[in-house]
Amino acid sequence: MTLMHQLQAGYAPGIPYSVDIKDHRITDVLEDVASRYPNRVALDFFSRPTTYQELVKQARQGATVLKRAGVRPGDRVAILMPNCPQHIVAVYAVLYVGAVVVEHNPLAPEREIHESFDRHGARVAIAWEKVVDKLAFLRGTGRVFAMDLTHAMPKVTRFLLSLPVKAAREKRQEISAPVPAYVPSWDTLVERADPMSGDTPARPDDAALLLHTGGTTGTPKAATITHRNIMANVAQDIAWVPDLHEGSEVVYCVLPLFHAFGFGVSFMAGIRLGATLALFPKFDTAMLLTAQKRLPCTFFVGVPPMYERILDAAEELDSDLTSVRFAISGAMPLDGELAARWEETSRGLIVEGYGMTEASPIILGSPLSPARRPGTLGLPFPSTEVRIVNPDNIDEDVPDGQIGELIVKGPQVFAGYWNREDETQQTLIDGWLRTGDLVVLDDGFITMADRRKEMINSSGFKVFPSQVEDAVRSMPGVRDVAVVGLPDKKSGESVAAAIVLEAGASVTLDDIRTWAEKSLSHYALPRQLVVLNELPRSQIGKVMRRRVREDILSMQSRAADLAQQAQEVVDQAQSAVSAAVERLRDKRQGDSHRDQDSSRSDK
């Protein structure tokens, strides 16, 4: 039996081996859904609704704004926003023009954003007011539009935020900021524009989206995702969960849209289903559970730390999660105990998916059936071929039960890295995507064995050691550094920096984090610090990160053993003291009884 036959044998009943991939552009799907559900709420933002009919109109108005700004088919337009209605409108506006959406983490450091723009060449950006200042480098060469997050909120909320009281003022400062006079308001321009008429000039195989990833080397680059890639993965997602009901689901969009998982599974699949997308600008359990009372979620997409925090908060607040019939977990392994706890609380099913940005993003998933196995990568999605091969020769499949590199072929596999043909050729070989992950076939399921790349997976975010090392190494007093990922129950992996100091220097973890946050995103900052006399190196002088990781884990294990031994000594000492006290008490009681007997005898 071939590998594919073994894997497909584990499919849940009714799941097709392949799906029909139609020649649809992303905007075609929105138009189709809006024609069938014009008055259904498409977006919910703090209880303010936007219907599908309104969404199409606003997106076409946004397209008019972009065309007037000179955006043409094939141009790249950068988006730097949290999850909000304007983000959704901006994505579709760009696509209506036939241009390419470039997603950015709005909280990334300015230097990282600038370098990304140098790579993808966007000269137009739509940005949250709080981050407009990070785009000052575009002045004179490009165009920036500012988005006001409060503009999408209900009128009552906006009124409360405008009150001249300390709490309102602090909240306003948290979510909005003044912008230079030369930066126009995206919200105002969209409201005043006439909707663009006609169809998008894009074709199904044209680029629709650029998402940043490390590729094969850890050097950031932009993965080119086409309209067909995205719509194919959406079709695969929906086929995997056939019990979802078109036109009636409520999907919580908590994962950021600049993340492939959030963009593809929450956003794009949600729109294709005609669902109501509840948008959350950040992950906040109180915010989420408050929304749950008003607009119960039916389909949730997240990462394991989110599920754990939601369960803890729901238990504390006595919140009802039984509306969530299906949940998908990704980006890191799902612990079996956590999965069981979620299913017991929600009475729904939770499975995990495995993917990568270069696959739009989902490749594998556990079946939504009693056969599901938490902790495994799962089975290939419909219309997806996989092989487990010798990493040094991908023409050679490894025998069943042996570890090999996972490679993938399917309609969701990306078109390549933007302007990086060398990297594309290393990653895409004859249509096969090299994942770089080492896996093994275990009782009909694909299971992760090890990471061939040295990328660190922290709460679903990719952290590349070389970038963190560059930031830390530039700090005064640091002579050398190696960055590795250490196991962490809550985040999957924790970023750890092993440093060698200059003579006489003294550096703390807080010092490192304060220095590095100038150039690193928050999730990439070291959470553990180890000071070493020297770093282990190979014969050619290369730092061996694997050895560093093993040494740190060994030191932590020895420290834990010593702590346990010390505790045992303390426990023994306490037992000895307790026994001595008990003997002394018995002796005193015995002496007391003898004295009493002697007294009675004298009488």
Side-chain angles (χ1 to χ4, degrees), residues 56-77:
V56 170
K57 179 185 177 184
Q58 292 173 19
R60 286 185 171 275
Q61 288 173 300
T64 296
V65 174
L66 292 176
K67 288 180 74 172
R68 287 175 179 169
V71 176
R72 298 292 179 261
D75 288 351
R76 277 78 62 209
V77 178

Side-chain angles (χ1 to χ4, degrees), residues 10-236:
Y11 272 26
I15 305 300
Y17 295 155
S18 62
V19 291
D20 183 19
I21 310 299
K22 298 185 177 0
D23 282 339
H24 285 162
R25 284 83 51 94
I26 294 170
T27 49
D28 294 335
V29 173
L30 175 62
E31 294 279 347
D32 176 60
V33 172
S35 69
R36 289 182 287 119
Y37 307 103
N39 298 316
R40 175 163 171 74
V41 174
L43 312 176
D44 179 277
F45 192 62
F46 294 100
S47 81
R48 181 175 177 178
T50 302
T51 67
Y52 272 96
Q53 184 173 264
E54 291 169 337
L55 175 56
V56 170
K57 179 185 177 184
Q58 292 173 19
R60 286 185 171 275
Q61 288 173 300
T64 296
V65 174
L66 292 176
K67 288 180 74 172
R68 287 175 179 169
V71 176
R72 298 292 179 261
D75 288 351
R76 277 78 62 209
V77 178
I79 296 177
L80 299 90
M81 303 186 206
N83 294 1
C84 59
Q86 296 101 316
H87 196 144
I88 304 293
V89 168
V91 166
Y92 282 116
V94 173
L95 297 175
Y96 269 119
V97 177
V100 182
V101 173
V102 187
E103 285 285 355
H104 281 269
N105 177 358
L107 301 181
E110 181 178 346
R111 187 179 75 177
E112 182 180 315
I113 292 172
H114 196 166
E115 291 173 351
S116 297
F117 272 73
D118 288 341
R119 287 189 292 272
H120 57 64
R123 287 295 169 260
V124 174
I126 310 168
W128 179 28
E129 288 177 338
K130 291 284 288 184
V131 300
V132 163
D133 60 336
K134 297 180 183 179
L135 298 172
F137 60 85
L138 282 179
R139 189 174 187 186
T141 62
R143 189 76 179 274
V144 178
F145 297 97
M147 178 278 293
D148 176 5
L149 193 63
T150 67
H151 190 84
M153 294 178 177
K155 289 182 179 179
V156 173
T157 304
R158 294 171 66 182
F159 170 73
L160 293 174
L161 287 171
S162 69
L163 294 175
V165 296
K166 181 180 179 182
R169 184 168 56 252
E170 290 177 347
K171 194 64 179 178
R172 284 199 307 273
Q173 292 174 348
E174 180 184 332
I175 61 178
S176 61
V179 297
Y182 63 84
V183 177
S185 165
W186 171 255
D187 304 295
T188 301
L189 291 174
V190 169
E191 281 186 349
R192 294 176 179 175
D194 293 325
M196 183 194 90
S197 60
D199 200 5
T200 175
R203 297 165 299 182
D205 287 321
D206 286 344
L209 174 69
L210 298 185
L211 289 175
H212 294 92
T213 180
T216 57
T217 65
T219 303
K221 54 192 66 67
T224 305
I225 316 293
T226 68
H227 288 260
R228 189 189 303 276
N229 290 152
I230 292 173
M231 297 325 301
N233 206 229
V234 164
Q236 293 165 324

Side-chain angles (χ1 to χ4, degrees), residues 413-455:
V413 172
F414 79 142
Y417 297 111
W418 186 265
N419 288 340
R420 292 298 297 269
E421 186 59 31
D422 54 339
E423 283 285 333
T424 300
Q425 290 178 0
Q426 294 178 47
T427 306
L428 274 180
I429 301 175
D430 295 329
W432 288 95
L433 169 65
R434 297 194 65 168
T435 68
D437 285 327
L438 301 180
V439 302
V440 64
L441 181 64
D442 178 16
D443 194 22
F445 282 69
I446 293 176
T447 301
M448 181 73 78
D450 199 358
R451 292 189 179 277
R452 188 163 180 242
K453 307 169 188 176
E454 292 179 318
M455 178 267 291

Side-chain angles (χ1 to χ4, degrees), residues 293-358:
K293 293 179 180 179
R294 175 180 56 83
L295 183 68
C297 176
T298 64
F299 183 66
F300 190 88
V301 181
V303 295
M306 286 183 175
Y307 288 104
E308 186 170 15
R309 287 177 59 187
I310 291 170
L311 286 169
D312 290 343
E315 183 177 337
E316 182 178 343
L317 300 174
D318 194 26
S319 299
D320 184 3
L321 298 176
T322 57
S323 64
V324 188
R325 294 167 25 244
F326 301 104
I328 307 293
S329 177
M332 55 192 291
L334 175 66
D335 179 73
E337 291 183 5
L338 177 58
R341 186 183 170 202
W342 177 269
E343 292 190 344
E344 181 181 0
T345 301
S346 70
R347 300 176 197 168
L349 296 177
I350 184 170
V351 297
E352 55 196 304
Y354 161 84
M356 55 194 302
T357 302
E358 292 87 341

Side-chain angles (χ1 to χ4, degrees), residues 550-565:
E550 292 171 351
D551 290 347
I552 293 175
L553 291 175
S554 178
M555 285 189 291
Q556 290 180 342
S557 178
R558 289 199 300 272
D561 289 342
L562 289 173
Q564 183 176 354
Q565 292 172 13

